Amino acid sequence: MSSKVKIFSGRTTQYLAEKIAHSYGIDLGKVVVVDYCDGEFQPSFEENIRGNDIFIVQSTFAPASNLLELLMLIDAARRASARNIIAVIPYFGFARQDRKDKPRVSIAAKLMANLLSTAGVQRIITLDLHADQIQGFFDVPVDHLFASSIFVPYLVKLGLPKLTIASPDVGGTRRVGTYAKFLGTDFVICYKHRNKPNQVSTMALVGDVRGRDVVLVDDIIDTGGTLTKAANIIMESGANSVRAICTHALFSNDAIERIENSPILEMAVTDTIPLKRKSDKVKVLSTASLFAEVIKRVESHESISSLFKFGE
């Protein structure tokens, strides 16, 4: 293994970075963050990184200090003469703000890309972006990974006899279509209308789920309102059972309680975001081996797309 590869992490994603480094075959590099009384903080690399390829692991969910910490680590690596600086962002925050959906609002996803580029990042590795076009916001290479490489084997192992894939909204049509095609089954779509963010006012099911074992597929679960409402409609429409797979488990507010009180039998999520609390219904699948393999392929200049035979 190349001695010039070093993996570091911000505070938020250290639990995952340790697993990635272990899977890659090296120790996680040492970062110290000093907190000041006024709320400022200063991260620093506590080892020599001159001429090294530096992979910095940090998800950018709230609070915004997680993003700022990543930016400061990138800047520190650049000023310490790292050869290459790659940001491994398991969950890319602000991705839902990828367009102007009303007047006088920011396109925050583009702003995040600008900030990362200005800080000095030279490559981005991320998983299941909320919108594929966000890759175009960057002027550096983006390796967009798919959680399908983790979830498809999980679904196959479940061995559901009458499997149907479902999307909780029309935005996920392409995603569920890909899963359904690979698994050789049908898919249905839930059409939703929101009056305001995180609140679904109406929802309708497009497709037949009678007698089927349904699996809802989504990239992000936030408050759980959309997903649990979709699960209720699916069961009311005659399904045998309903499960869910979601890449990024934000679990805001009372999301866990909603899931536990819903007809969802189980939910599989990844570890891109640490769980706020455990639930018997929630199963966490690790992304560490996937990210470690991608880091190896970046270093050896091998194909990354070939990893995703379930690709979307």
Side-chain angles (χ1 to χ4, degrees), residues 155 158-166 183 185-188 208-217 234-235 237-244 263 265-266:
L155 291 177
L158 285 179
L160 299 174
K162 298 179 179 179
L163 175 64
T164 291
I165 303 297
L183 294 166
T185 188
D186 298 326
F187 69 90
V188 298
D208 187 10
V209 295
R210 286 175 293 181
R212 307 294 294 178
D213 297 303
V214 180
V215 176
L216 284 157
V217 179
I234 286 169
M235 291 304 295
S237 299
N240 280 342
S241 65
V242 60
R243 294 171 172 80
L265 292 179
E266 62 179 350

PDB file of all heavy atoms in Angstrom, residues 155 158-166 183 185-188 208-217 234-235 237-244 263 265-266:
ATOM      1  N   LEU A 155     -31.261  -6.458  -0.581  1.00  0.00           N
ATOM      2  CA  LEU A 155     -32.605  -6.808  -1.046  1.00  0.00           C
ATOM      3  C   LEU A 155     -32.658  -8.244  -1.560  1.00  0.00           C
ATOM      4  O   LEU A 155     -33.627  -8.969  -1.311  1.00  0.00           O
ATOM      5  CB  LEU A 155     -33.055  -5.846  -2.143  1.00  0.00           C
ATOM      6  CG  LEU A 155     -33.335  -4.401  -1.717  1.00  0.00           C
ATOM      7  CD1 LEU A 155     -33.698  -3.554  -2.928  1.00  0.00           C
ATOM      8  CD2 LEU A 155     -34.454  -4.345  -0.680  1.00  0.00           C
ATOM      9  N   LEU A 158     -32.909 -10.611   1.252  1.00  0.00           N
ATOM     10  CA  LEU A 158     -34.231 -10.669   1.890  1.00  0.00           C
ATOM     11  C   LEU A 158     -35.109 -11.735   1.248  1.00  0.00           C
ATOM     12  O   LEU A 158     -35.950 -12.351   1.908  1.00  0.00           O
ATOM     13  CB  LEU A 158     -34.929  -9.302   1.792  1.00  0.00           C
ATOM     14  CG  LEU A 158     -34.446  -8.186   2.712  1.00  0.00           C
ATOM     15  CD1 LEU A 158     -35.233  -6.908   2.448  1.00  0.00           C
ATOM     16  CD2 LEU A 158     -34.593  -8.588   4.181  1.00  0.00           C
ATOM     17  N   GLY A 159     -34.936 -11.941  -0.052  1.00  0.00           N
ATOM     18  CA  GLY A 159     -35.675 -12.982  -0.761  1.00  0.00           C
ATOM     19  C   GLY A 159     -37.185 -12.798  -0.747  1.00  0.00           C
ATOM     20  O   GLY A 159     -37.935 -13.769  -0.602  1.00  0.00           O
ATOM     21  N   LEU A 160     -37.637 -11.568  -0.903  1.00  0.00           N
ATOM     22  CA  LEU A 160     -39.084 -11.302  -0.897  1.00  0.00           C
ATOM     23  C   LEU A 160     -39.716 -11.911  -2.142  1.00  0.00           C
ATOM     24  O   LEU A 160     -39.310 -11.625  -3.264  1.00  0.00           O
ATOM     25  CB  LEU A 160     -39.336  -9.796  -0.847  1.00  0.00           C
ATOM     26  CG  LEU A 160     -38.778  -9.076   0.388  1.00  0.00           C
ATOM     27  CD1 LEU A 160     -38.961  -7.575   0.263  1.00  0.00           C
ATOM     28  CD2 LEU A 160     -39.446  -9.590   1.650  1.00  0.00           C
ATOM     29  N   PRO A 161     -40.752 -12.749  -1.975  1.00  0.00           N
ATOM     30  CA  PRO A 161     -41.312 -13.491  -3.118  1.00  0.00           C
ATOM     31  C   PRO A 161     -42.078 -12.636  -4.114  1.00  0.00           C
ATOM     32  O   PRO A 161     -42.138 -12.957  -5.299  1.00  0.00           O
ATOM     33  CB  PRO A 161     -42.230 -14.516  -2.449  1.00  0.00           C
ATOM     34  CG  PRO A 161     -42.604 -13.887  -1.139  1.00  0.00           C
ATOM     35  CD  PRO A 161     -41.406 -13.093  -0.707  1.00  0.00           C
ATOM     36  N   LYS A 162     -42.689 -11.572  -3.653  1.00  0.00           N
ATOM     37  CA  LYS A 162     -43.509 -10.732  -4.535  1.00  0.00           C
ATOM     38  C   LYS A 162     -43.048  -9.275  -4.420  1.00  0.00           C
ATOM     39  O   LYS A 162     -43.808  -8.383  -4.037  1.00  0.00           O
ATOM     40  CB  LYS A 162     -44.987 -10.854  -4.176  1.00  0.00           C
ATOM     41  CG  LYS A 162     -45.531 -12.275  -4.343  1.00  0.00           C
ATOM     42  CD  LYS A 162     -46.999 -12.353  -3.941  1.00  0.00           C
ATOM     43  CE  LYS A 162     -47.534 -13.771  -4.130  1.00  0.00           C
ATOM     44  NZ  LYS A 162     -48.969 -13.873  -3.722  1.00  0.00           N
ATOM     45  N   LEU A 163     -41.797  -9.056  -4.779  1.00  0.00           N
ATOM     46  CA  LEU A 163     -41.160  -7.756  -4.574  1.00  0.00           C
ATOM     47  C   LEU A 163     -41.663  -6.705  -5.560  1.00  0.00           C
ATOM     48  O   LEU A 163     -41.765  -6.958  -6.763  1.00  0.00           O
ATOM     49  CB  LEU A 163     -39.645  -7.899  -4.721  1.00  0.00           C
ATOM     50  CG  LEU A 163     -38.805  -6.623  -4.662  1.00  0.00           C
ATOM     51  CD1 LEU A 163     -38.920  -5.968  -3.289  1.00  0.00           C
ATOM     52  CD2 LEU A 163     -37.348  -6.925  -4.994  1.00  0.00           C
ATOM     53  N   THR A 164     -41.981  -5.536  -5.034  1.00  0.00           N
ATOM     54  CA  THR A 164     -42.257  -4.348  -5.836  1.00  0.00           C
ATOM     55  C   THR A 164     -41.476  -3.186  -5.231  1.00  0.00           C
ATOM     56  O   THR A 164     -41.477  -2.995  -4.015  1.00  0.00           O
ATOM     57  CB  THR A 164     -43.760  -4.013  -5.868  1.00  0.00           C
ATOM     58  OG1 THR A 164     -44.444  -5.009  -6.622  1.00  0.00           O
ATOM     59  CG2 THR A 164     -44.015  -2.655  -6.523  1.00  0.00           C
ATOM     60  N   ILE A 165     -40.792  -2.423  -6.083  1.00  0.00           N
ATOM     61  CA  ILE A 165     -40.038  -1.262  -5.636  1.00  0.00           C
ATOM     62  C   ILE A 165     -40.932  -0.025  -5.722  1.00  0.00           C
ATOM     63  O   ILE A 165     -41.732   0.105  -6.650  1.00  0.00           O
ATOM     64  CB  ILE A 165     -38.780  -1.057  -6.506  1.00  0.00           C
ATOM     65  CG1 ILE A 165     -37.905  -2.312  -6.483  1.00  0.00           C
ATOM     66  CG2 ILE A 165     -37.977   0.147  -6.025  1.00  0.00           C
ATOM     67  CD1 ILE A 165     -37.345  -2.672  -5.134  1.00  0.00           C
ATOM     68  N   ALA A 166     -40.803   0.875  -4.761  1.00  0.00           N
ATOM     69  CA  ALA A 166     -41.650   2.070  -4.737  1.00  0.00           C
ATOM     70  C   ALA A 166     -40.823   3.316  -4.454  1.00  0.00           C
ATOM     71  O   ALA A 166     -39.845   3.271  -3.702  1.00  0.00           O
ATOM     72  CB  ALA A 166     -42.740   1.932  -3.671  1.00  0.00           C
ATOM     73  N   LEU A 183     -33.576  -5.939 -10.538  1.00  0.00           N
ATOM     74  CA  LEU A 183     -34.191  -7.009  -9.742  1.00  0.00           C
ATOM     75  C   LEU A 183     -35.297  -7.740 -10.501  1.00  0.00           C
ATOM     76  O   LEU A 183     -35.858  -8.711  -9.997  1.00  0.00           O
ATOM     77  CB  LEU A 183     -34.739  -6.425  -8.435  1.00  0.00           C
ATOM     78  CG  LEU A 183     -33.669  -5.886  -7.473  1.00  0.00           C
ATOM     79  CD1 LEU A 183     -34.314  -5.034  -6.394  1.00  0.00           C
ATOM     80  CD2 LEU A 183     -32.871  -7.025  -6.852  1.00  0.00           C
ATOM     81  N   THR A 185     -38.411  -6.691 -11.465  1.00  0.00           N
ATOM     82  CA  THR A 185     -39.733  -6.544 -10.861  1.00  0.00           C
ATOM     83  C   THR A 185     -40.370  -5.232 -11.282  1.00  0.00           C
ATOM     84  O   THR A 185     -39.788  -4.456 -12.052  1.00  0.00           O
ATOM     85  CB  THR A 185     -39.625  -6.628  -9.324  1.00  0.00           C
ATOM     86  OG1 THR A 185     -40.933  -6.667  -8.766  1.00  0.00           O
ATOM     87  CG2 THR A 185     -38.863  -5.435  -8.766  1.00  0.00           C
ATOM     88  N   ASP A 186     -41.578  -4.955 -10.791  1.00  0.00           N
ATOM     89  CA  ASP A 186     -42.299  -3.726 -11.110  1.00  0.00           C
ATOM     90  C   ASP A 186     -41.958  -2.641 -10.101  1.00  0.00           C
ATOM     91  O   ASP A 186     -41.394  -2.897  -9.037  1.00  0.00           O
ATOM     92  CB  ASP A 186     -43.811  -3.968 -11.093  1.00  0.00           C
ATOM     93  CG  ASP A 186     -44.244  -4.983 -12.145  1.00  0.00           C
ATOM     94  OD1 ASP A 186     -43.623  -5.015 -13.219  1.00  0.00           O
ATOM     95  OD2 ASP A 186     -45.193  -5.745 -11.880  1.00  0.00           O
ATOM     96  N   PHE A 187     -42.356  -1.410 -10.445  1.00  0.00           N
ATOM     97  CA  PHE A 187     -42.228  -0.325  -9.475  1.00  0.00           C
ATOM     98  C   PHE A 187     -43.455   0.568  -9.525  1.00  0.00           C
ATOM     99  O   PHE A 187     -44.173   0.612 -10.532  1.00  0.00           O
ATOM    100  CB  PHE A 187     -40.949   0.495  -9.693  1.00  0.00           C
ATOM    101  CG  PHE A 187     -40.927   1.334 -10.946  1.00  0.00           C
ATOM    102  CD1 PHE A 187     -41.392   2.634 -10.948  1.00  0.00           C
ATOM    103  CD2 PHE A 187     -40.410   0.823 -12.132  1.00  0.00           C
ATOM    104  CE1 PHE A 187     -41.365   3.423 -12.082  1.00  0.00           C
ATOM    105  CE2 PHE A 187     -40.365   1.595 -13.285  1.00  0.00           C
ATOM    106  CZ  PHE A 187     -40.847   2.897 -13.261  1.00  0.00           C
ATOM    107  N   VAL A 188     -43.700   1.247  -8.416  1.00  0.00           N
ATOM    108  CA  VAL A 188     -44.821   2.187  -8.303  1.00  0.00           C
ATOM    109  C   VAL A 188     -44.281   3.505  -7.775  1.00  0.00           C
ATOM    110  O   VAL A 188     -43.161   3.572  -7.251  1.00  0.00           O
ATOM    111  CB  VAL A 188     -45.938   1.654  -7.371  1.00  0.00           C
ATOM    112  CG1 VAL A 188     -46.523   0.361  -7.915  1.00  0.00           C
ATOM    113  CG2 VAL A 188     -45.403   1.447  -5.945  1.00  0.00           C
ATOM    114  N   ASP A 208     -50.093  -0.530  -8.941  1.00  0.00           N
ATOM    115  CA  ASP A 208     -50.825  -1.550  -8.186  1.00  0.00           C
ATOM    116  C   ASP A 208     -49.878  -2.285  -7.249  1.00  0.00           C
ATOM    117  O   ASP A 208     -48.837  -2.803  -7.682  1.00  0.00           O
ATOM    118  CB  ASP A 208     -51.479  -2.539  -9.159  1.00  0.00           C
ATOM    119  CG  ASP A 208     -52.388  -3.530  -8.452  1.00  0.00           C
ATOM    120  OD1 ASP A 208     -52.657  -3.345  -7.243  1.00  0.00           O
ATOM    121  OD2 ASP A 208     -52.826  -4.497  -9.110  1.00  0.00           O
ATOM    122  N   VAL A 209     -50.214  -2.336  -5.962  1.00  0.00           N
ATOM    123  CA  VAL A 209     -49.381  -3.030  -4.976  1.00  0.00           C
ATOM    124  C   VAL A 209     -50.137  -4.149  -4.265  1.00  0.00           C
ATOM    125  O   VAL A 209     -49.631  -4.727  -3.304  1.00  0.00           O
ATOM    126  CB  VAL A 209     -48.840  -2.034  -3.911  1.00  0.00           C
ATOM    127  CG1 VAL A 209     -47.911  -1.017  -4.539  1.00  0.00           C
ATOM    128  CG2 VAL A 209     -49.981  -1.339  -3.169  1.00  0.00           C
ATOM    129  N   ARG A 210     -51.321  -4.498  -4.753  1.00  0.00           N
ATOM    130  CA  ARG A 210     -52.130  -5.535  -4.085  1.00  0.00           C
ATOM    131  C   ARG A 210     -51.381  -6.866  -4.046  1.00  0.00           C
ATOM    132  O   ARG A 210     -50.911  -7.366  -5.062  1.00  0.00           O
ATOM    133  CB  ARG A 210     -53.462  -5.719  -4.804  1.00  0.00           C
ATOM    134  CG  ARG A 210     -54.458  -4.580  -4.559  1.00  0.00           C
ATOM    135  CD  ARG A 210     -55.701  -4.746  -5.384  1.00  0.00           C
ATOM    136  NE  ARG A 210     -55.388  -4.590  -6.820  1.00  0.00           N
ATOM    137  CZ  ARG A 210     -56.293  -4.657  -7.786  1.00  0.00           C
ATOM    138  NH1 ARG A 210     -57.575  -4.909  -7.479  1.00  0.00           N
ATOM    139  NH2 ARG A 210     -55.946  -4.506  -9.039  1.00  0.00           N
ATOM    140  N   GLY A 211     -51.235  -7.398  -2.822  1.00  0.00           N
ATOM    141  CA  GLY A 211     -50.577  -8.678  -2.626  1.00  0.00           C
ATOM    142  C   GLY A 211     -49.074  -8.657  -2.797  1.00  0.00           C
ATOM    143  O   GLY A 211     -48.439  -9.715  -2.880  1.00  0.00           O
ATOM    144  N   ARG A 212     -48.485  -7.463  -2.835  1.00  0.00           N
ATOM    145  CA  ARG A 212     -47.055  -7.339  -3.092  1.00  0.00           C
ATOM    146  C   ARG A 212     -46.272  -7.008  -1.818  1.00  0.00           C
ATOM    147  O   ARG A 212     -46.813  -6.458  -0.851  1.00  0.00           O
ATOM    148  CB  ARG A 212     -46.793  -6.241  -4.138  1.00  0.00           C
ATOM    149  CG  ARG A 212     -47.579  -6.385  -5.420  1.00  0.00           C
ATOM    150  CD  ARG A 212     -47.159  -7.615  -6.201  1.00  0.00           C
ATOM    151  NE  ARG A 212     -45.791  -7.519  -6.689  1.00  0.00           N
ATOM    152  CZ  ARG A 212     -45.179  -8.491  -7.379  1.00  0.00           C
ATOM    153  NH1 ARG A 212     -45.814  -9.626  -7.647  1.00  0.00           N
ATOM    154  NH2 ARG A 212     -43.935  -8.328  -7.806  1.00  0.00           N
ATOM    155  N   ASP A 213     -44.987  -7.374  -1.809  1.00  0.00           N
ATOM    156  CA  ASP A 213     -44.059  -6.986  -0.744  1.00  0.00           C
ATOM    157  C   ASP A 213     -43.280  -5.779  -1.254  1.00  0.00           C
ATOM    158  O   ASP A 213     -42.413  -5.911  -2.131  1.00  0.00           O
ATOM    159  CB  ASP A 213     -43.110  -8.135  -0.413  1.00  0.00           C
ATOM    160  CG  ASP A 213     -43.849  -9.349   0.129  1.00  0.00           C
ATOM    161  OD1 ASP A 213     -44.551  -9.192   1.141  1.00  0.00           O
ATOM    162  OD2 ASP A 213     -43.716 -10.432  -0.474  1.00  0.00           O
ATOM    163  N   VAL A 214     -43.590  -4.614  -0.717  1.00  0.00           N
ATOM    164  CA  VAL A 214     -43.109  -3.353  -1.274  1.00  0.00           C
ATOM    165  C   VAL A 214     -41.890  -2.847  -0.505  1.00  0.00           C
ATOM    166  O   VAL A 214     -41.850  -2.911   0.729  1.00  0.00           O
ATOM    167  CB  VAL A 214     -44.225  -2.288  -1.254  1.00  0.00           C
ATOM    168  CG1 VAL A 214     -43.729  -0.968  -1.840  1.00  0.00           C
ATOM    169  CG2 VAL A 214     -45.441  -2.788  -2.029  1.00  0.00           C
ATOM    170  N   VAL A 215     -40.914  -2.350  -1.264  1.00  0.00           N
ATOM    171  CA  VAL A 215     -39.741  -1.710  -0.660  1.00  0.00           C
ATOM    172  C   VAL A 215     -39.650  -0.277  -1.175  1.00  0.00           C
ATOM    173  O   VAL A 215     -39.484  -0.053  -2.374  1.00  0.00           O
ATOM    174  CB  VAL A 215     -38.435  -2.461  -0.992  1.00  0.00           C
ATOM    175  CG1 VAL A 215     -37.237  -1.697  -0.421  1.00  0.00           C
ATOM    176  CG2 VAL A 215     -38.466  -3.873  -0.432  1.00  0.00           C
ATOM    177  N   LEU A 216     -39.795   0.680  -0.278  1.00  0.00           N
ATOM    178  CA  LEU A 216     -39.643   2.094  -0.607  1.00  0.00           C
ATOM    179  C   LEU A 216     -38.162   2.438  -0.698  1.00  0.00           C
ATOM    180  O   LEU A 216     -37.372   2.022   0.155  1.00  0.00           O
ATOM    181  CB  LEU A 216     -40.309   2.963   0.458  1.00  0.00           C
ATOM    182  CG  LEU A 216     -41.839   3.050   0.419  1.00  0.00           C
ATOM    183  CD1 LEU A 216     -42.383   3.430   1.793  1.00  0.00           C
ATOM    184  CD2 LEU A 216     -42.280   4.069  -0.626  1.00  0.00           C
ATOM    185  N   VAL A 217     -37.780   3.183  -1.726  1.00  0.00           N
ATOM    186  CA  VAL A 217     -36.385   3.548  -1.938  1.00  0.00           C
ATOM    187  C   VAL A 217     -36.263   5.068  -1.996  1.00  0.00           C
ATOM    188  O   VAL A 217     -36.981   5.727  -2.756  1.00  0.00           O
ATOM    189  CB  VAL A 217     -35.838   2.944  -3.253  1.00  0.00           C
ATOM    190  CG1 VAL A 217     -34.382   3.350  -3.458  1.00  0.00           C
ATOM    191  CG2 VAL A 217     -35.982   1.425  -3.249  1.00  0.00           C
ATOM    192  N   ILE A 234     -49.557   2.700   0.840  1.00  0.00           N
ATOM    193  CA  ILE A 234     -49.242   1.408   0.217  1.00  0.00           C
ATOM    194  C   ILE A 234     -49.965   0.270   0.927  1.00  0.00           C
ATOM    195  O   ILE A 234     -50.538  -0.620   0.283  1.00  0.00           O
ATOM    196  CB  ILE A 234     -47.714   1.193   0.220  1.00  0.00           C
ATOM    197  CG1 ILE A 234     -47.061   2.088  -0.849  1.00  0.00           C
ATOM    198  CG2 ILE A 234     -47.364  -0.275  -0.022  1.00  0.00           C
ATOM    199  CD1 ILE A 234     -45.559   2.161  -0.752  1.00  0.00           C
ATOM    200  N   MET A 235     -49.975   0.274   2.239  1.00  0.00           N
ATOM    201  CA  MET A 235     -50.667  -0.781   2.982  1.00  0.00           C
ATOM    202  C   MET A 235     -52.173  -0.677   2.804  1.00  0.00           C
ATOM    203  O   MET A 235     -52.871  -1.693   2.677  1.00  0.00           O
ATOM    204  CB  MET A 235     -50.290  -0.715   4.464  1.00  0.00           C
ATOM    205  CG  MET A 235     -48.845  -1.108   4.759  1.00  0.00           C
ATOM    206  SD  MET A 235     -48.392  -2.756   4.159  1.00  0.00           S
ATOM    207  CE  MET A 235     -49.464  -3.797   5.171  1.00  0.00           C
ATOM    208  N   SER A 237     -53.576   0.225   0.238  1.00  0.00           N
ATOM    209  CA  SER A 237     -53.872  -0.188  -1.135  1.00  0.00           C
ATOM    210  C   SER A 237     -53.727  -1.687  -1.333  1.00  0.00           C
ATOM    211  O   SER A 237     -53.786  -2.176  -2.470  1.00  0.00           O
ATOM    212  CB  SER A 237     -52.942   0.551  -2.109  1.00  0.00           C
ATOM    213  OG  SER A 237     -53.140   1.952  -2.016  1.00  0.00           O
ATOM    214  N   GLY A 238     -53.520  -2.432  -0.244  1.00  0.00           N
ATOM    215  CA  GLY A 238     -53.553  -3.889  -0.324  1.00  0.00           C
ATOM    216  C   GLY A 238     -52.219  -4.598  -0.364  1.00  0.00           C
ATOM    217  O   GLY A 238     -52.156  -5.794  -0.688  1.00  0.00           O
ATOM    218  N   ALA A 239     -51.129  -3.924  -0.029  1.00  0.00           N
ATOM    219  CA  ALA A 239     -49.818  -4.575  -0.037  1.00  0.00           C
ATOM    220  C   ALA A 239     -49.710  -5.592   1.097  1.00  0.00           C
ATOM    221  O   ALA A 239     -50.352  -5.448   2.145  1.00  0.00           O
ATOM    222  CB  ALA A 239     -48.715  -3.539   0.094  1.00  0.00           C
ATOM    223  N   ASN A 240     -48.882  -6.628   0.894  1.00  0.00           N
ATOM    224  CA  ASN A 240     -48.631  -7.608   1.946  1.00  0.00           C
ATOM    225  C   ASN A 240     -47.760  -7.015   3.044  1.00  0.00           C
ATOM    226  O   ASN A 240     -47.984  -7.257   4.236  1.00  0.00           O
ATOM    227  CB  ASN A 240     -47.918  -8.836   1.365  1.00  0.00           C
ATOM    228  CG  ASN A 240     -48.862  -9.798   0.674  1.00  0.00           C
ATOM    229  OD1 ASN A 240     -50.062  -9.748   0.889  1.00  0.00           O
ATOM    230  ND2 ASN A 240     -48.305 -10.664  -0.165  1.00  0.00           N
ATOM    231  N   SER A 241     -46.740  -6.256   2.638  1.00  0.00           N
ATOM    232  CA  SER A 241     -45.797  -5.682   3.589  1.00  0.00           C
ATOM    233  C   SER A 241     -45.115  -4.482   2.948  1.00  0.00           C
ATOM    234  O   SER A 241     -45.155  -4.309   1.725  1.00  0.00           O
ATOM    235  CB  SER A 241     -44.736  -6.711   4.004  1.00  0.00           C
ATOM    236  OG  SER A 241     -43.935  -7.072   2.885  1.00  0.00           O
ATOM    237  N   VAL A 242     -44.505  -3.665   3.787  1.00  0.00           N
ATOM    238  CA  VAL A 242     -43.744  -2.526   3.277  1.00  0.00           C
ATOM    239  C   VAL A 242     -42.467  -2.365   4.097  1.00  0.00           C
ATOM    240  O   VAL A 242     -42.481  -2.440   5.332  1.00  0.00           O
ATOM    241  CB  VAL A 242     -44.588  -1.228   3.284  1.00  0.00           C
ATOM    242  CG1 VAL A 242     -45.042  -0.862   4.687  1.00  0.00           C
ATOM    243  CG2 VAL A 242     -43.809  -0.073   2.658  1.00  0.00           C
ATOM    244  N   ARG A 243     -41.356  -2.197   3.394  1.00  0.00           N
ATOM    245  CA  ARG A 243     -40.048  -1.940   3.991  1.00  0.00           C
ATOM    246  C   ARG A 243     -39.484  -0.690   3.331  1.00  0.00           C
ATOM    247  O   ARG A 243     -40.072  -0.170   2.396  1.00  0.00           O
ATOM    248  CB  ARG A 243     -39.114  -3.134   3.793  1.00  0.00           C
ATOM    249  CG  ARG A 243     -39.534  -4.393   4.538  1.00  0.00           C
ATOM    250  CD  ARG A 243     -38.686  -5.575   4.112  1.00  0.00           C
ATOM    251  NE  ARG A 243     -38.921  -6.767   4.917  1.00  0.00           N
ATOM    252  CZ  ARG A 243     -39.941  -7.593   4.747  1.00  0.00           C
ATOM    253  NH1 ARG A 243     -40.836  -7.365   3.785  1.00  0.00           N
ATOM    254  NH2 ARG A 243     -40.084  -8.651   5.522  1.00  0.00           N
ATOM    255  N   ALA A 244     -38.308  -0.247   3.788  1.00  0.00           N
ATOM    256  CA  ALA A 244     -37.705   0.945   3.189  1.00  0.00           C
ATOM    257  C   ALA A 244     -36.195   0.835   3.208  1.00  0.00           C
ATOM    258  O   ALA A 244     -35.613   0.215   4.104  1.00  0.00           O
ATOM    259  CB  ALA A 244     -38.149   2.199   3.930  1.00  0.00           C
ATOM    260  N   PRO A 263     -46.358   1.390   9.505  1.00  0.00           N
ATOM    261  CA  PRO A 263     -46.405  -0.024   9.097  1.00  0.00           C
ATOM    262  C   PRO A 263     -45.096  -0.532   8.495  1.00  0.00           C
ATOM    263  O   PRO A 263     -45.027  -1.695   8.097  1.00  0.00           O
ATOM    264  CB  PRO A 263     -47.528  -0.036   8.058  1.00  0.00           C
ATOM    265  CG  PRO A 263     -47.568   1.330   7.494  1.00  0.00           C
ATOM    266  CD  PRO A 263     -47.204   2.248   8.630  1.00  0.00           C
ATOM    267  N   LEU A 265     -41.936  -2.394   8.210  1.00  0.00           N
ATOM    268  CA  LEU A 265     -41.413  -3.508   9.001  1.00  0.00           C
ATOM    269  C   LEU A 265     -39.964  -3.278   9.394  1.00  0.00           C
ATOM    270  O   LEU A 265     -39.567  -3.580  10.529  1.00  0.00           O
ATOM    271  CB  LEU A 265     -41.531  -4.814   8.207  1.00  0.00           C
ATOM    272  CG  LEU A 265     -42.951  -5.340   7.949  1.00  0.00           C
ATOM    273  CD1 LEU A 265     -42.894  -6.629   7.131  1.00  0.00           C
ATOM    274  CD2 LEU A 265     -43.681  -5.583   9.269  1.00  0.00           C
ATOM    275  N   GLU A 266     -39.169  -2.798   8.454  1.00  0.00           N
ATOM    276  CA  GLU A 266     -37.775  -2.495   8.737  1.00  0.00           C
ATOM    277  C   GLU A 266     -37.264  -1.481   7.734  1.00  0.00           C
ATOM    278  O   GLU A 266     -37.785  -1.364   6.621  1.00  0.00           O
ATOM    279  CB  GLU A 266     -36.909  -3.762   8.696  1.00  0.00           C
ATOM    280  CG  GLU A 266     -36.881  -4.459   7.368  1.00  0.00           C
ATOM    281  CD  GLU A 266     -35.994  -5.702   7.378  1.00  0.00           C
ATOM    282  OE1 GLU A 266     -35.260  -5.905   8.370  1.00  0.00           O
ATOM    283  OE2 GLU A 266     -36.023  -6.459   6.393  1.00  0.00           O
TER     284      GLU A 266
END
